[in-house]
Amino acid sequence: MAKQAGLSLHIPVPSARPGDEANFEHVPLTAAGETRRPRVDASEANLRDMPYELVRVLDDDGVAVGPWDPQLDDETLSRGLEAMLQTRLFEERLFRAHRQGKTSFFMKSTGEEAIGVAQSMVLRPGDMCFPTYRVQGWLIARNYPMTDMINQIYSNEKDPLKGRQLPILYSARDYGFYSLSGNVGSRFGHAVGWAMASAFKNVDKIALGYIGEGTTAEGDFHEALTFASVYRAPVILVITNNQWAISTFSGIAGADLTTFAAKALAYGIPGLRVDGNDFLAMWAVTQWAADRARANLGPTLIEVVTYRAAGHSTSDDPTKYRPADEAAHWPLGDPIERLKAHLIGRGTWSEERHVQLEAELSERLRDAQREAETVGTLGTSKPSVREMFEGVFKEPDWRVIEQRRELGI
């Protein structure tokens, strides 16, 4: 008998590393307008092809095509463009503030602005978002005060969270924004639980939860999908596939084997893939999933195909693990430029108007930053020590009382 060769372990490797030519041939794409749009009440058995398609509305010329076109009016599209542009300007300015030592940490969502903005605009007041740290656009689209956001980033005396969260880990119940957690895997479980409670109470509020594609390799993801499926929770579960989890590429989580949306098939729930750099497509699939949830038809899993153009955080240098120009080769383009081109093509926008809007938003942002900096930046102003003891226990026990006495507060 011939000697059998030994086994070998397969280690996924990215398509390109620093110094290589950027290559996205491994990302399955569908032409704009080609993916069918099923009825909202379609049975899961009739949706099993959807995880392998890609919902796209805007074509390469910025024209809305196909059955997923949400037919939005110019005012709505302009508000979406403004919120996305404000998000990018906000992040660029606060990133510079970090480099100036004004905050300890920051993360950007460059290239992903359409996700948080479109979904924030689609969902209703009273619905709840369980976010990751790249959907600041949700708050900006709902006109959350930028000064409050900056105070939180600076961890100063007027930080609305009293210094209890890291910078950019916002919390704003009145804006449908659940307390952000650095433990991203918890988002789906919390969203499903909140949605189940909403159904149990017979109200009409739904939840939306975000994770990155890397988190699909964790147990939290599968536990949440089990509960969402079994109890038909009114929840939208969003996997943001931005190709990189810190320095680990998406293939480590299984992107080379199948789509992340296809993971829905094992749980008997609909799975959709959507162009995350297409504001109209993001709006359309979110509306479809929200309508399904409100019709008591249960959850939808959405894989958002996008690209993290910036580093993972201010602690990261992406040129160490991917080609320096990789973002420029991303085949789905820039969400802001694509929506701008669409509006120009409709005859309701222009390059001059865009420049004017950018100047107005920049001035608004400068005013908010100045206001926050009059309170203080990192280390120059901080919440009172007494805030450590407030809002923790309903009735403080003797240890808390003694600690406060020792501190003289």
Side-chain angles (χ1 to χ4, degrees):
M1 180 180 295
K3 184 177 179 180
Q4 184 173 345
L7 299 173
S8 61
L9 182 65
H10 172 66
I11 306 295
V13 295
S15 59
R17 284 294 193 188
D20 296 336
E21 184 175 341
N23 179 9
F24 289 106
E25 292 180 358
H26 60 285
V27 180
L29 302 178
T30 306
E34 284 193 359
T35 301
R36 70 184 182 95
R37 187 184 188 281
R39 291 168 50 96
V40 168
D41 60 355
S43 68
E44 184 274 336
N46 290 322
L47 299 171
R48 292 177 185 169
D49 61 313
M50 298 303 293
Y52 303 103
E53 301 295 330
L54 183 68
V55 176
R56 301 176 66 187
V57 174
L58 294 175
D59 66 14
D60 293 340
D61 297 319
V63 178
V65 295
W68 284 94
D69 180 4
Q71 304 289 330
L72 301 178
D73 58 44
D74 292 335
E75 180 184 357
T76 300
L77 292 171
S78 298
R79 285 195 297 114
L81 180 63
E82 177 178 334
M84 288 197 293
L85 183 57
Q86 184 72 89
T87 300
R88 183 166 296 181
L89 293 171
F90 178 91
E91 293 179 352
E92 289 174 352
R93 179 169 284 269
L94 271 295
F95 180 86
R96 292 195 297 272
H98 171 270
R99 294 302 193 234
Q100 295 164 355
K102 295 177 181 179
T103 183
S104 61
F105 183 72
F106 195 70
M107 303 180 80
K108 298 171 70 177
S109 64
T110 309
E112 302 178 42
E113 294 90 351
I115 303 167
V117 170
Q119 298 195 304
S120 178
M121 293 175 68
V122 170
L123 266 64
R124 303 174 184 172
D127 295 336
M128 188 60 69
C129 164
F130 291 77
T132 62
Y133 31 64
R134 274 184 241 284
V135 287
Q136 292 93 313
W138 178 286
L139 292 173
I140 289 174
R142 295 194 171 197
N143 297 314
Y144 183 80
M146 284 190 294
T147 302
D148 287 349
M149 294 179 73
I150 299 172
N151 285 333
Q152 198 278 326
I153 292 167
Y154 285 165
S155 304
N156 65 25
E157 188 178 357
K158 289 192 176 180
D159 172 4
L161 305 183
K162 311 299 183 183
R164 298 182 183 189
Q165 284 273 53
L166 286 168
I168 64 91
L169 299 189
Y170 312 104
S171 177
R173 177 183 294 183
D174 293 343
Y175 293 80
F177 200 86
Y178 195 82
S179 300
L180 211 153
S181 173
N183 181 6
V184 180
S186 66
R187 304 293 78 191
F188 269 19
H190 292 169
V192 171
W194 193 96
M196 288 172 61
S198 180
F200 184 78
K201 292 184 290 186
N202 300 121
V203 297
D204 64 350
K205 308 306 180 188
I206 67 174
L208 182 150
Y210 291 99
I211 61 171
E213 83 283 345
T215 305
T216 63
E218 299 181 11
D220 287 350
F221 169 77
H222 300 280
E223 292 163 5
L225 261 66
T226 297
F227 275 79
S229 173
V230 170
Y231 295 100
R232 295 184 187 173
V235 63
I236 304 171
L237 299 170
V238 178
I239 302 168
T240 305
N241 178 11
N242 62 13
Q243 314 307 311
W244 291 95
I246 310 182
S247 60
T248 304
F249 88 112
S250 58
I252 297 296
D256 294 346
L257 304 173
T258 187
T259 69
F260 290 104
K263 294 180 184 292
L265 298 174
Y267 296 93
I269 64 176
L272 301 176
R273 288 177 76 241
V274 60
D275 178 351
N277 292 29
D278 180 342
F279 179 85
L280 276 74
M282 283 301 311
W283 183 293
V285 297
T286 305
Q287 188 67 69
W288 187 92
D291 290 346
R292 189 175 178 90
R294 295 190 206 282
N296 214 36
L297 295 172
T300 301
L301 182 70
I302 300 174
E303 176 190 349
V304 177
V305 181
T306 184
Y307 182 81
R308 170 168 60 77
H312 177 75
S313 71
T314 47
S315 303
D316 176 45
D317 179 3
T319 64
K320 299 294 185 183
Y321 53 82
R322 68 189 191 190
D325 65 344
E326 190 174 73
H329 295 276
W330 175 241
L332 297 178
D334 181 305
I336 294 176
E337 292 300 317
R338 291 176 66 189
L339 184 55
K340 180 181 75 172
H342 176 62
L343 281 166
I344 291 174
R346 289 166 66 125
T348 58
W349 202 252
S350 66
E351 292 287 355
E352 294 75 18
R353 188 173 176 185
H354 194 81
V355 170
Q356 180 183 1
L357 174 63
E358 184 170 344
E360 293 170 356
L361 296 180
S362 295
E363 182 176 0
R364 185 187 308 171
L365 177 54
R366 281 193 297 270
D367 291 343
Q369 187 178 23
R370 290 193 189 105
E371 183 179 347
E373 292 186 358
T374 61
V375 180
T377 60
L378 179 67
T380 67
S381 168
K382 62 183 71 174
S384 169
V385 174
R386 68 171 56 91
E387 297 293 350
M388 289 195 303
F389 302 98
E390 302 296 335
V392 180
F393 297 103
K394 181 179 181 182
E395 299 292 340
D397 69 8
W398 68 269
R399 286 168 287 253
V400 173
I401 295 171
E402 180 63 19
Q403 288 167 0
R404 294 193 68 160
R405 186 193 64 77
E406 291 177 358
L407 290 169
I409 56 173

